[in-house]
């Protein structure tokens, strides 16, 4: 499973199985869960290009380039949970990839990177959801890099954001909230392109799922 931390990703069949299990628990459509995972990490193929090098400041570098980034992760809000989470699943925080921020130099408008795994949860949010993930999947320790745990985390979060009603508006707004913390709107930074992309991906996934159920 840990191969997906680099380039392998999650096979469609496996992702669909886990998304279907998560849908039973949460009421969120499997196609919509997969669409979020596709938008966030291409089903686990792109889970981060930065490394945290200083756990006290959150500074880091590009994983492949060594280019310095200020405040890849917010300290201590996320750096301490990140240290705890990686240790709990047998990983080393300094060699575990996370998402990069939008630019190398920190500013309040730029924000942080530091998202983990296929679901791209920030560490502090993952810790909040970990007990619910563990209950839903039956594992002892929720792992952001395990496909089943990551997909369940996405489904639980989307349910909390209103996607369980399965309407177009609810799913689109849930996607925008997943990305930016707010419903789709015209404010800055923009979030509607993300929401529109997710619902389009969900339509395609639904067509594929329907075909698998009833091939013509």
């Amino acid at each position: 499973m840990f191969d997906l931390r680099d380039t392998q990703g999650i096979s469609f069949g496996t992702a669909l199985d886990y998304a279907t299990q998560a849908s039973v628990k949460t009421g969120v459509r499997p196609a919509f869960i997969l669409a979020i995972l596709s938008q966030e990490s291409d089903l686990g193929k792109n889970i981060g290009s930065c490394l945290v090098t200083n756990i006290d400041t959150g500074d880091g570098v590009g994983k492949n380039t060594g280019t310095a980034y200020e405040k890849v992760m917010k300290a201590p809000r996320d750096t301490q949970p990140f240290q705890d989470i990686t240790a709990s699943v047998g990983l080393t925080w300094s060699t575990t990839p996370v998402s990069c921020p939008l630019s190398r130099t920190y500013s309040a408008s730029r924000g942080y990177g530091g998202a983990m795994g296929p679901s791209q949860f920030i560490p502090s949010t993952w810790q909040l959801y970990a007990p619910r993930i563990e209950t839903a999947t039956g594992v002892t320790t929720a792992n952001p890099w395990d496909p089943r745990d990551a997909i369940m985390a996405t489904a639980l979060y989307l349910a909390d954001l209103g996607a369980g009603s399965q309407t177009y508006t609810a799913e689109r707004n849930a996607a925008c909230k997943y990305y930016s913390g707010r419903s789709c709107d015209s404010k800055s930074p923009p979030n509607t392109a993300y929401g529109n992309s997710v619902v389009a991906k969900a339509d395609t996934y639904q067509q594929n799922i329907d075909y698998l159920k009833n091939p013509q």
Side-chain angles (χ1 to χ4, degrees):
M1 289 298 189
F2 282 94
D3 286 344
L4 69 82
R5 289 191 295 123
D6 296 316
T7 59
Q8 297 298 314
I10 311 166
S11 72
F12 175 74
T14 297
L16 178 57
D17 285 345
Y18 291 153
T20 301
Q21 294 170 24
S23 179
V24 172
K25 297 282 187 179
T26 63
V28 181
R29 284 194 303 143
F32 189 64
I33 298 169
L34 294 177
I36 289 285
L37 269 292
S38 177
Q39 186 75 23
E40 287 291 320
S41 67
D42 193 12
L43 296 183
K45 292 180 182 177
N46 303 313
I47 61 170
S49 297
C50 273
L51 300 172
V52 176
T53 55
N54 188 320
I55 207 70
D56 295 318
T57 64
D59 292 342
V61 297
K63 179 181 70 173
N64 298 319
T65 64
T67 302
Y69 280 82
E70 291 181 348
K71 301 184 186 299
V72 167
M73 190 175 285
K74 186 171 183 177
R77 183 196 70 183
D78 292 310
T79 52
Q80 188 57 59
F82 182 58
Q83 190 174 25
D84 295 340
I85 291 165
T86 50
S88 73
V89 297
L91 299 177
T92 302
W93 63 263
S94 60
T95 58
T96 300
V98 296
S99 67
C100 293
L102 294 176
S103 63
R104 293 174 52 199
T105 304
Y106 174 76
S107 67
S109 61
R110 185 211 72 174
Y112 303 88
M116 311 176 300
S119 294
Q120 290 292 278
F121 269 49
I122 63 171
S124 55
T125 302
W126 183 268
Q127 279 197 329
L128 290 174
Y129 275 81
R132 294 171 61 189
I133 299 165
E134 290 158 4
T135 297
T137 60
V139 299
T140 301
T141 303
N143 182 342
W145 297 276
D146 181 276
R148 183 176 63 166
D149 292 355
I151 289 171
M152 184 62 72
T154 293
L156 288 167
Y157 191 28
L158 290 172
D160 289 349
L161 296 176
S165 67
Q166 300 189 11
T167 67
Y168 171 86
T169 299
E171 289 185 341
R172 182 170 177 266
N173 280 327
C176 286
K177 289 176 183 177
Y178 196 100
Y179 172 68
S180 67
R182 66 182 200 275
S183 296
C184 301
D185 57 35
S186 58
K187 297 178 183 178
S188 183
N191 64 7
T192 54
Y194 182 97
N196 292 340
S197 178
V198 168
V199 295
K201 288 176 184 288
D203 286 344
T204 298
Y205 277 122
Q206 190 63 60
Q207 292 172 18
N208 292 337
I209 292 168
D210 292 343
Y211 176 79
L212 290 173
K213 290 181 178 178
N214 298 290
Q216 300 295 322

